[in-house]
Amino acid sequence: MGARALDILIALVSRPNETIGKKELLSLVWPDIAVEEYSLRFHMTNLRRALGDGKDGARYIATLAGRGYCFVAPVTRLCYEVDSPSVATDSSHANLPSRLAHMVGRDEDIQRISDHLITDRFVSIVGIGGVGKTTVAIAVGHHLIEAFKGAVLIVDLSVLSDPGLVATAIASMLGLSVQSENATPALIAYLRSKRMLLILDTCEHLVDAIAGLTSQIYAEAPSVYILATSREVLQVEGEHVYRLDTLSYPPEEAEIESTAAQDYPAPRLFIERAAASGAQMNLNDAEIAVVVRICRKLDGVALAIELAARRVEAYGLHQTENLLDRHLTLPLLGHRSTTPRQRTLQATLDWSYQLLSELERTVLRRLAVFVGHFTLNAALSVVTDIDIDQSQALGAIDSLVAKSMVATRPLGAMMRYRLLDTTRAYALNLATTGAEATELAARHAKYYQRWLEQSGSDWPTLSTGPEKSPYFAALNNTRSALEWCFGDQGSVRLGTKLAATAAPVFLTMSLLPECRRWSERAIAELDDTSRGGAEEMQLQASLGVASMHIDGPSEAALAALSRSLVIAEACGNVLGQVMMLWMLSLFFVRQAEFRTALDYAKRARAIAGTIDEPDATALAQSALGRALHFVGDYTDARPELEAALNHWSSTHRIFLGIDERILTGVVLMRTLWAQGFAAQAVERARQTISDAKLSSNPATLAVALSWVSGVLIWAGDLQSAEEHVDWLIPHAESHSLGPNVHVGRSYKGTLAINSGDPKAGVQTLQECLKHLHTHDKKLNMALGQRKVEFNISLAQGLIAIGRADEGLAIIDETISRIDENGELYLLPEALRMRGCALLALPERGVNQAEACFMQSLALSRRQGARAWELRTAIDLARLLVNCGRRADGRKLLQPILGQFTQSRETADQRTAAQLLAELDQD
């Protein structure tokens, strides 16, 4: 059937058993075009013939006299289902833009591509520039969106010039933390358990990089479906090539009446686009013949047809054809190897450009500096100067939009603009003076520097794909500006400013390699006049944080952070000093050097007290509370942590890419536990997990899960602890957060020991802890803070399986480590476990064990750590009972348990209560 007949069928089937009037049907099938009713009757006859309506009693379309038509056959709605129910679907970062309200001549292409995708999983739409590959890909995404439960992500690769950023671009749009120069492993790990449709748009300029990446995704992520658009085939295993042809038009030798000619997609597109721009056409046989001739000359290239159709309103149909005839014979730009159709598109762009006013040409050339989407404010900032004022620029942009030289698309609440790839490439090839090009690039860079400064507070709040899309467009322009600034013709001074502004944003978006790359580049370009200023302070701070995340607590990271502190001190920047001292304290906490961390935190607290700046005070309180916790001073730690958390909860800000609210929450949770407030600790744990889930940073959730699991184990809620560990491990694996994976597995071993399977637990913990002896600095940083905790669990397991001598050796080594680094918060528990090991070794005697328990009790009381005090008191009371000193055991345990006035909410409290009850019976 013809295209019009198909449109009629779609309109009728979409509203089965409902009468659609003739006028409404005409408006649906021929929008913006006036046609006679006989055309509807003509196509209805063809449609009924194609359906077999009336044959053997079959009824499909009923005619209701004076009212219209109705589709009367049964209708069943079907949707594609991808057969992988066990694979997770995540649509939180889906960003599929709206499809065109009305497409011409692509329904069959969309259906066939969709079928191939479901069957083959990997389809490349290949065709010449301007043929409509992107439009069709977006339509396929909408066609299959229900099959993928909304998980359809489109990545515009036209904005990238660096092949090394392909995996990074996809990963960051999925919300992944990019912590390596090569983001591919992290991306593959994440996609391996996902079911989604990934649309990679405009691949031809990065074809080698994309070919390698898509090949890996296809092989290792079996539930990810790939749809690529490119001017050339990727040539990788699994790829099914769909060549998108140009729109068809009547053959030259055919004599076709005007109505029938409109059934061909190319003339129909021309007529619809001309009508949409306000052109008035009679659409008689003579005018349709002109339309058909134009479409033939343009070889059915959709973009070329749209450009020509937009001219009809201004020049008329016949004059448009005449102009086109003259310009299609002009010498063409490009290589001799260019295909005829590409030469036609080039010539059409030449023609369209020649028809622009001088003002419109200038504005078009200037807009070509943007990559991807840009806002009207951005355009005005770049386009306007002493020669073009704002009103002229607005008028020119409106005119370019009307003439299809500039495309529009709403992103979020604001309209975005962009030059189509073919138009931008054409505009970039136009002759511009070196001075003009330099001035444009400088204005472009300055605009995005200002924009990043103004929008910095927005970045941490972005969590979904639609929210992030406008910001990624700005980030792509920032990358382009940085490349120019540090290029041969660029401005190093401007690049330094832009890099200093962009670095915190790269940190917040977890684009750590890019943060380090541009910070290092900018620092290297600093001269004597720019060293030691605010920009270097910011660059050094960002470099230090990025390096710490990528390489662990390295000397390079420490040097950068220390240099930033020196600059802040020299400049008298108090907030900058507090930030660097806070960061250095965190650096040494992660390196398990807690006394040094406390020194930096105390300095931060003292300096913050010299100014009335809530953020500085809260940063210092966070640092001091955290350091005091790790050295076992819970009494002083808690008020600092609570004050800081109260500030961060009301003023959620991100400093150097770190969500201090989450870090403060987990330390306060552990402090509450140690002080004996188990219910409050568990409530704080739940709130911290809830807050972390809302964060767009996957590493933040991994941190929260890893610390919460330990408190739940201490409380004896092994089921909840296991649920959190089972959440942590796959989450960390899918985001390539290797250190957190090992923390989760270590907790698996601890859970096994506490659940009655000490042999398996010991094996698991030993395997995890041996990784500390590797050269993986990141792993050492993550497990270094936990080594004391996991060593205590390992010793407990070894004692349980009769290897108390090994357990005692581990505990002695652990206590020596505590003495070295000041990790006193777990020393009471380490001393208790040493006593347990000694009790399991008869030759060492109970006296040494009792001495260890007494040391543990005394330290717990000094620290205010009632939880550790109770745990030790239980073991010591049992020792006293076994030595025939029941009264002493009761006298010891009763007042300690009496401190816990709430219900018996932990396993230790229940154990102590049961032991006291047994003693009271005797």
Side-chain angles (χ1 to χ4, degrees), residues 156 159 363 367-380 383 393-402 405-411 414-421 424 448 470 473-474 477:
D156 180 7
V159 300
V363 170
L367 291 176
V369 73
F370 292 101
V371 295
H373 292 95
F374 53 89
T375 64
L376 188 58
N377 285 339
L380 293 175
V383 167
L394 286 170
I397 292 170
D398 285 343
S399 180
L400 290 169
V401 169
M405 302 298 283
V406 173
T408 60
R409 172 186 163 193
L411 277 179
M414 187 179 296
M415 183 66 71
R416 257 58 178 190
Y417 300 80
R418 71 171 294 168
L419 271 64
L420 297 176
D421 298 334
R424 180 172 185 262
Y448 282 101
N477 276 284

